[in-house]
Amino acid sequence: MKQLKEDTDKALGEIRAEVEQLKGRRLPLPTVGVLTGAVGAATGLIAMLC
């Protein structure tokens, strides 16, 4: 029983570490919004000039 608990705790620790690693790789939502807005503004400006 003790071995099962240790194995489960180890597996949970590994999963938590993987989740935290994935969280670190994602872009924050405000950054995505700023990039989308900048691309939209540039596209509009190019359309007006052409």
Side-chain angles (χ1 to χ4, degrees):
M1 199 66 160
K2 185 178 178 181
Q3 183 66 36
L4 178 62
K5 182 179 179 340
E6 290 174 0
D7 291 345
T8 302
D9 289 344
K10 181 181 176 187
L12 282 174
E14 291 172 356
I15 291 171
R16 285 186 179 128
E18 290 175 8
V19 168
E20 291 302 319
Q21 187 179 31
L22 289 172
K23 282 183 181 178
R25 289 189 205 161
R26 67 180 180 179
L27 283 174
L29 193 55
T31 303
V32 173
V34 168
L35 292 173
T36 303
V39 170
T43 303
L45 182 61
I46 290 170
M48 286 176 49
L49 295 175
C50 291

